[in-house]
Amino acid sequence: MDLSGKLDRFKQQQQRCHASLSIINATRAPSVTTKPQQYAPAPRPAMAKPSAPAPKVRFSDDTARLQKMHAVRKSAVGSQMKDVIELLYRTRKALTATQINDATYVDIAGNTAVFESLRNNPKVRFDGKFFSYKPTHNVTGKDGLLALIADFHDGIPVKEVEDAYPTVLDDLQALKSSGDIYLLPGEQDMVFPNDPRSRLELDTELKKLFYEIKLPKDMLDIEKDLRRNGEKPMTDTAKRRAAAEIFGKPSKPKKSKKKQRGMTSRTRITNIHLPGLFELPMDTKDFI
Protein backbone atom coordinates (compact mmCIF):
# COMPACT_ATOMS: atom_id res chain seq x y z
CA MET A 1 0.00 0.00 0.00
CA ASP A 2 1.40 3.29 -0.93
CA LEU A 3 1.60 6.28 1.36
CA SER A 4 -1.62 7.96 0.16
CA GLY A 5 -3.66 4.84 0.89
CA LYS A 6 -2.34 4.69 4.43
CA LEU A 7 -3.18 8.36 4.96
CA ASP A 8 -6.77 7.80 3.83
CA ARG A 9 -7.13 4.87 6.12
CA PHE A 10 -5.84 6.91 9.11
CA LYS A 11 -8.35 9.72 8.36
CA GLN A 12 -11.22 7.21 8.33
CA GLN A 13 -10.15 5.86 11.74
CA GLN A 14 -10.01 9.42 13.09
CA GLN A 15 -13.54 10.07 11.86
CA ARG A 16 -14.86 6.90 13.48
CA CYS A 17 -13.21 7.88 16.80
CA HIS A 18 -14.74 11.37 16.68
CA ALA A 19 -18.18 9.86 15.95
CA SER A 20 -17.85 7.49 18.91
CA LEU A 21 -16.80 10.32 21.24
CA SER A 22 -19.77 12.45 20.09
CA ILE A 23 -22.19 9.63 20.85
CA ILE A 24 -20.65 9.13 24.28
CA ASN A 25 -20.83 12.87 25.13
CA ALA A 26 -24.44 13.08 23.96
CA THR A 27 -25.54 10.29 26.31
CA ARG A 28 -23.74 11.84 29.29
CA ALA A 29 -24.93 15.46 28.86
CA PRO A 30 -28.04 16.57 30.94
CA SER A 31 -31.30 17.26 29.13
CA VAL A 32 -32.25 20.90 28.63
CA THR A 33 -35.88 20.45 29.77
CA THR A 34 -35.11 18.62 33.00
CA LYS A 35 -33.74 20.36 36.06
CA PRO A 36 -31.49 18.64 38.49
CA GLN A 37 -33.38 17.51 41.58
CA GLN A 38 -32.50 19.48 44.68
CA TYR A 39 -32.71 17.85 48.07
CA ALA A 40 -33.44 19.98 51.14
CA PRO A 41 -31.30 19.15 54.11
CA ALA A 42 -33.15 17.06 56.70
CA PRO A 43 -34.08 19.07 59.83
CA ARG A 44 -32.03 18.26 62.85
CA PRO A 45 -34.06 16.80 65.71
CA ALA A 46 -34.49 19.09 68.70
CA MET A 47 -32.56 18.13 71.76
CA ALA A 48 -34.96 16.74 74.41
CA LYS A 49 -34.66 18.29 77.86
CA PRO A 50 -33.46 15.80 80.43
CA SER A 51 -36.39 14.84 82.73
CA ALA A 52 -36.02 14.94 86.51
CA PRO A 53 -35.17 11.53 87.90
CA ALA A 54 -38.03 9.82 89.77
CA PRO A 55 -37.60 9.86 93.55
CA LYS A 56 -36.23 6.63 94.79
CA VAL A 57 -38.27 4.86 97.48
CA ARG A 58 -35.91 3.81 100.15
CA PHE A 59 -36.70 1.28 102.81
CA SER A 60 -35.49 3.68 105.51
CA ASP A 61 -38.25 6.17 104.60
CA ASP A 62 -40.89 3.69 105.87
CA THR A 63 -38.95 2.32 108.80
CA ALA A 64 -40.97 4.09 111.52
CA ARG A 65 -44.30 2.78 110.21
CA LEU A 66 -42.99 -0.75 109.82
CA GLN A 67 -41.50 -0.70 113.31
CA LYS A 68 -44.82 0.52 114.75
CA MET A 69 -46.71 -2.21 112.89
CA HIS A 70 -44.30 -4.86 114.13
CA ALA A 71 -44.53 -3.62 117.75
CA VAL A 72 -48.34 -3.63 117.71
CA ARG A 73 -48.70 -7.09 116.20
CA LYS A 74 -46.16 -8.58 118.62
CA SER A 75 -47.83 -7.00 121.67
CA ALA A 76 -50.22 -8.82 124.02
CA VAL A 77 -53.78 -9.57 122.97
CA GLY A 78 -55.14 -7.28 125.68
CA SER A 79 -53.07 -4.34 124.43
CA GLN A 80 -54.30 -4.83 120.84
CA MET A 81 -57.91 -5.07 122.06
CA LYS A 82 -57.47 -1.82 123.96
CA ASP A 83 -56.29 -0.04 120.81
CA VAL A 84 -59.28 -1.32 118.84
CA ILE A 85 -61.87 -0.49 121.53
CA GLU A 86 -60.43 3.03 121.92
CA LEU A 87 -60.73 3.53 118.15
CA LEU A 88 -64.34 2.32 118.12
CA TYR A 89 -65.20 4.49 121.15
CA ARG A 90 -63.58 7.59 119.64
CA THR A 91 -65.07 7.30 116.15
CA ARG A 92 -68.45 5.70 117.04
CA LYS A 93 -68.44 4.18 113.54
CA ALA A 94 -68.92 0.64 112.27
CA LEU A 95 -65.53 -0.42 110.88
CA THR A 96 -64.33 -3.48 109.02
CA ALA A 97 -61.24 -5.47 110.01
CA THR A 98 -59.33 -3.84 107.12
CA GLN A 99 -60.23 -0.31 108.27
CA ILE A 100 -59.20 -1.14 111.83
CA ASN A 101 -55.91 -2.55 110.52
CA ASP A 102 -55.23 0.66 108.56
CA ALA A 103 -55.87 2.82 111.64
CA THR A 104 -54.24 0.75 114.41
CA TYR A 105 -52.10 -1.93 112.66
CA VAL A 106 -54.07 -4.57 114.58
CA ASP A 107 -54.53 -7.49 112.17
CA ILE A 108 -57.86 -8.91 113.35
CA ALA A 109 -58.26 -11.16 110.33
CA GLY A 110 -54.81 -12.70 110.86
CA ASN A 111 -54.98 -13.12 114.65
CA THR A 112 -57.61 -15.57 115.88
CA ALA A 113 -57.06 -14.73 119.55
CA VAL A 114 -57.71 -11.01 118.97
CA PHE A 115 -60.75 -11.72 116.82
CA GLU A 116 -62.38 -14.06 119.36
CA SER A 117 -61.64 -11.69 122.25
CA LEU A 118 -63.22 -8.75 120.43
CA ARG A 119 -66.22 -10.78 119.29
CA ASN A 120 -66.95 -11.80 122.91
CA ASN A 121 -66.16 -8.43 124.50
CA PRO A 122 -69.21 -6.76 126.12
CA LYS A 123 -68.12 -3.35 124.76
CA VAL A 124 -67.86 -4.50 121.14
CA ARG A 125 -70.70 -5.21 118.71
CA PHE A 126 -69.93 -7.48 115.74
CA ASP A 127 -72.54 -8.17 113.04
CA GLY A 128 -70.48 -10.54 110.96
CA LYS A 129 -68.64 -7.83 109.01
CA PHE A 130 -68.48 -4.60 111.00
CA PHE A 131 -67.14 -3.89 114.49
CA SER A 132 -68.64 -1.02 116.52
CA TYR A 133 -68.64 0.25 120.11
CA LYS A 134 -71.41 -1.07 122.36
CA PRO A 135 -72.33 1.31 125.23
CA THR A 136 -74.03 0.20 128.43
CA HIS A 137 -77.26 1.95 127.40
CA ASN A 138 -78.16 2.56 123.77
CA VAL A 139 -79.07 6.26 123.76
CA THR A 140 -77.87 8.79 121.23
CA GLY A 141 -79.12 12.20 122.38
CA LYS A 142 -80.43 14.39 125.17
CA ASP A 143 -84.07 13.29 124.80
CA GLY A 144 -83.15 9.61 124.95
CA LEU A 145 -80.88 10.28 127.93
CA LEU A 146 -83.68 12.02 129.84
CA ALA A 147 -86.11 9.17 129.07
CA LEU A 148 -83.55 6.66 130.32
CA ILE A 149 -82.99 8.51 133.60
CA ALA A 150 -86.74 8.83 134.11
CA ASP A 151 -86.99 5.03 134.21
CA PHE A 152 -84.63 4.84 137.21
CA HIS A 153 -86.58 6.37 140.09
CA ASP A 154 -83.92 5.25 142.57
CA GLY A 155 -81.14 6.82 140.51
CA ILE A 156 -78.61 5.55 138.02
CA PRO A 157 -74.81 5.78 138.32
CA VAL A 158 -73.18 8.29 136.04
CA LYS A 159 -70.61 5.72 134.91
CA GLU A 160 -73.43 3.70 133.32
CA VAL A 161 -74.38 6.52 130.96
CA GLU A 162 -71.10 8.36 130.43
CA ASP A 163 -70.13 6.15 127.47
CA ALA A 164 -73.48 6.39 125.66
CA TYR A 165 -72.25 9.02 123.15
CA PRO A 166 -69.44 11.61 123.03
CA THR A 167 -71.38 14.64 124.40
CA VAL A 168 -73.33 12.82 127.11
CA LEU A 169 -71.59 14.66 129.99
CA ASP A 170 -72.44 18.04 128.46
CA ASP A 171 -76.07 16.94 128.14
CA LEU A 172 -76.11 15.89 131.80
CA GLN A 173 -74.98 19.37 132.77
CA ALA A 174 -77.65 20.92 130.54
CA LEU A 175 -80.39 18.72 132.04
CA LYS A 176 -79.18 19.62 135.51
CA SER A 177 -79.25 23.35 134.69
CA SER A 178 -82.78 23.06 133.31
CA GLY A 179 -83.95 21.27 136.47
CA ASP A 180 -84.90 18.04 134.71
CA ILE A 181 -82.49 15.87 136.74
CA TYR A 182 -80.47 15.89 139.95
CA LEU A 183 -76.75 15.17 139.96
CA LEU A 184 -75.51 14.06 143.35
CA PRO A 185 -71.75 13.64 143.84
CA GLY A 186 -70.31 11.00 146.12
CA GLU A 187 -68.28 7.84 146.06
CA GLN A 188 -70.43 6.93 143.10
CA ASP A 189 -71.93 9.91 141.31
CA MET A 190 -75.66 9.38 140.83
CA VAL A 191 -78.31 10.83 138.54
CA PHE A 192 -81.94 11.11 139.66
CA PRO A 193 -84.98 12.19 137.67
CA ASN A 194 -86.82 15.30 138.76
CA ASP A 195 -90.38 14.05 138.28
CA PRO A 196 -92.90 16.94 138.19
CA ARG A 197 -95.47 14.62 139.79
CA SER A 198 -93.39 14.47 142.98
CA ARG A 199 -93.29 18.24 143.43
CA LEU A 200 -95.54 19.35 146.29
CA GLU A 201 -96.63 22.84 147.15
CA LEU A 202 -96.24 23.39 150.91
CA ASP A 203 -98.63 25.58 152.84
CA THR A 204 -97.20 28.90 154.00
CA GLU A 205 -98.20 28.21 157.62
CA LEU A 206 -96.37 24.87 157.55
CA LYS A 207 -93.22 26.55 156.28
CA LYS A 208 -93.52 29.14 159.01
CA LEU A 209 -93.83 26.49 161.73
CA PHE A 210 -90.80 24.67 160.35
CA TYR A 211 -88.56 27.73 160.47
CA GLU A 212 -89.83 28.75 163.93
CA ILE A 213 -88.67 25.50 165.54
CA LYS A 214 -85.54 26.18 167.52
CA LEU A 215 -83.17 23.26 167.68
CA PRO A 216 -81.03 22.83 170.81
CA LYS A 217 -77.46 23.86 170.40
CA ASP A 218 -76.00 21.80 173.24
CA MET A 219 -75.68 18.01 173.02
CA LEU A 220 -76.97 17.73 176.62
CA ASP A 221 -80.27 19.29 175.56
CA ILE A 222 -80.49 17.04 172.52
CA GLU A 223 -79.94 13.93 174.66
CA LYS A 224 -82.61 15.11 177.14
CA ASP A 225 -85.12 15.56 174.29
CA LEU A 226 -84.33 12.09 173.00
CA ARG A 227 -84.91 10.51 176.42
CA ARG A 228 -88.10 12.51 176.87
CA ASN A 229 -89.41 11.00 173.62
CA GLY A 230 -88.43 7.47 174.63
CA GLU A 231 -85.26 7.26 172.52
CA LYS A 232 -81.90 6.18 173.86
CA PRO A 233 -79.12 8.53 172.72
CA MET A 234 -76.01 6.95 171.29
CA THR A 235 -73.77 9.42 173.17
CA ASP A 236 -73.33 10.36 176.85
CA THR A 237 -72.08 13.91 176.82
CA ALA A 238 -72.19 14.38 180.61
CA LYS A 239 -70.00 11.32 181.24
CA ARG A 240 -67.55 12.32 178.52
CA ARG A 241 -67.18 15.86 179.88
CA ALA A 242 -66.66 14.59 183.45
CA ALA A 243 -63.91 12.26 182.28
CA ALA A 244 -62.28 15.10 180.40
CA GLU A 245 -62.15 17.25 183.58
CA ILE A 246 -60.47 14.46 185.54
CA PHE A 247 -58.03 13.04 183.02
CA GLY A 248 -57.78 15.97 180.69
CA LYS A 249 -58.80 16.13 177.10
CA PRO A 250 -57.07 13.35 175.21
CA SER A 251 -55.02 14.56 172.35
CA LYS A 252 -55.78 13.14 168.98
CA PRO A 253 -52.97 10.95 167.71
CA LYS A 254 -51.19 12.48 164.80
CA LYS A 255 -51.43 10.52 161.67
CA SER A 256 -48.05 9.65 160.39
CA LYS A 257 -47.54 10.77 156.87
CA LYS A 258 -46.09 8.14 154.69
CA LYS A 259 -43.12 9.34 152.80
CA GLN A 260 -43.70 9.13 149.10
CA ARG A 261 -40.94 7.16 147.61
CA GLY A 262 -39.94 7.52 144.04
CA MET A 263 -38.65 4.93 141.67
CA THR A 264 -35.42 3.36 142.86
CA SER A 265 -33.26 0.52 141.70
CA ARG A 266 -35.06 -1.72 144.24
CA THR A 267 -38.55 -0.86 143.01
CA ARG A 268 -40.28 -3.91 141.65
CA ILE A 269 -42.05 -3.29 138.36
CA THR A 270 -44.60 -5.77 137.07
CA ASN A 271 -46.47 -6.10 133.81
CA ILE A 272 -43.77 -4.20 131.94
CA HIS A 273 -44.73 -6.16 128.84
CA LEU A 274 -48.13 -4.39 128.77
CA PRO A 275 -47.16 -0.70 128.53
CA GLY A 276 -50.53 0.75 127.54
CA LEU A 277 -52.97 -1.80 128.88
CA PHE A 278 -53.85 -0.10 132.14
CA GLU A 279 -54.41 3.43 130.87
CA LEU A 280 -57.93 4.81 131.01
CA PRO A 281 -59.71 4.40 127.66
CA MET A 282 -61.38 7.78 127.82
CA ASP A 283 -60.83 11.21 129.28
CA THR A 284 -62.40 12.04 132.61
CA LYS A 285 -63.72 15.44 133.59
CA ASP A 286 -65.54 17.11 136.44
CA PHE A 287 -69.14 17.24 135.33
CA ILE A 288 -70.89 17.81 138.65
Side-chain angles (χ1 to χ4, degrees):
M1 181 179 294
D2 56 358
L3 181 60
S4 60
K6 292 181 179 179
L7 183 60
D8 294 335
R9 186 178 178 183
F10 175 76
K11 289 180 179 179
Q12 293 176 357
Q13 290 179 349
Q14 289 291 325
Q15 291 175 357
R16 288 195 297 269
C17 289
H18 283 294
S20 299
L21 290 175
S22 300
I23 295 172
I24 292 173
N25 290 332
T27 57
R28 289 185 177 180
S31 178
V32 178
T33 58
T34 59
K35 292 183 179 180
Q37 186 176 1
Q38 298 181 354
Y39 296 93
R44 299 180 63 184
M47 297 294 293
K49 295 183 179 179
S51 59
K56 296 181 179 179
V57 178
R58 297 180 301 173
F59 178 79
S60 58
D61 294 337
D62 208 21
T63 302
R65 185 183 69 86
L66 295 176
Q67 288 178 343
K68 173 67 174 176
M69 181 187 300
H70 178 76
V72 169
R73 295 184 178 180
K74 291 297 181 182
S75 63
V77 174
S79 180
Q80 297 185 53
M81 286 179 57
K82 175 178 175 290
D83 292 342
V84 175
I85 294 175
E86 283 184 348
L87 173 68
L88 298 177
Y89 175 82
R90 185 174 65 254
T91 60
R92 298 304 175 101
K93 295 180 180 179
L95 304 176
T96 63
T98 303
Q99 291 172 325
I100 294 173
N101 186 14
D102 293 340
T104 64
Y105 302 126
V106 177
D107 186 14
I108 300 176
N111 193 325
T112 305
V114 174
F115 172 75
E116 291 295 333
S117 299
L118 286 172
R119 189 170 66 89
N120 297 319
N121 192 283
K123 288 297 181 183
V124 177
R125 183 185 293 110
F126 179 63
D127 61 1
K129 182 179 179 181
F130 294 96
F131 294 86
S132 59
Y133 185 79
K134 184 179 180 180
T136 306
H137 297 281
N138 189 22
V139 293
T140 58
K142 186 190 296 185
D143 295 336
L145 179 63
L146 182 59
L148 173 68
I149 297 173
D151 292 336
F152 290 84
H153 301 286
D154 296 331
I156 180 174
V158 173
K159 67 180 182 180
E160 289 191 16
V161 298
E162 64 184 359
D163 68 338
Y165 53 93
T167 60
V168 64
L169 298 181
D170 296 332
D171 287 345
L172 283 175
Q173 284 285 8
L175 292 173
K176 175 189 175 184
S177 301
S178 62
D180 293 310
I181 63 171
Y182 295 109
L183 278 175
L184 301 182
E187 272 188 40
Q188 182 172 247
D189 300 329
M190 299 291 295
V191 186
F192 294 88
N194 186 6
D195 192 347
R197 295 172 297 179
S198 63
R199 299 173 188 172
L200 301 176
E201 292 293 333
L202 297 180
D203 186 71
T204 306
E205 292 295 327
L206 182 60
K207 293 180 181 179
K208 183 179 178 181
L209 290 173
F210 175 81
Y211 288 112
E212 286 180 353
I213 296 175
K214 302 297 182 183
L215 296 177
K217 297 181 180 181
D218 196 324
M219 282 298 299
L220 289 174
D221 297 331
I222 295 175
E223 292 171 359
K224 289 179 181 178
D225 288 341
L226 289 173
R227 294 189 182 95
R228 187 181 305 115
N229 293 308
E231 299 291 339
K232 182 179 179 181
M234 299 298 295
T235 59
D236 193 340
T237 305
K239 183 177 180 181
R240 179 172 54 81
R241 290 178 180 176
E245 290 179 1
I246 297 173
F247 302 105
K249 186 176 181 180
S251 59
K252 294 183 179 179
K254 295 182 179 180
K255 295 182 179 180
S256 60
K257 295 183 178 179
K258 292 184 178 180
K259 184 179 179 181
Q260 295 182 353
R261 303 176 65 181
M263 299 289 291
T264 65
S265 59
R266 301 178 63 183
T267 305
R268 183 179 179 185
I269 303 176
T270 60
N271 294 324
I272 59 175
H273 62 291
L274 305 175
L277 181 57
F278 300 104
E279 298 177 2
L280 292 176
M282 45 192 143
D283 296 335
T284 56
K285 59 190 288 191
D286 184 13
F287 53 86
I288 301 300

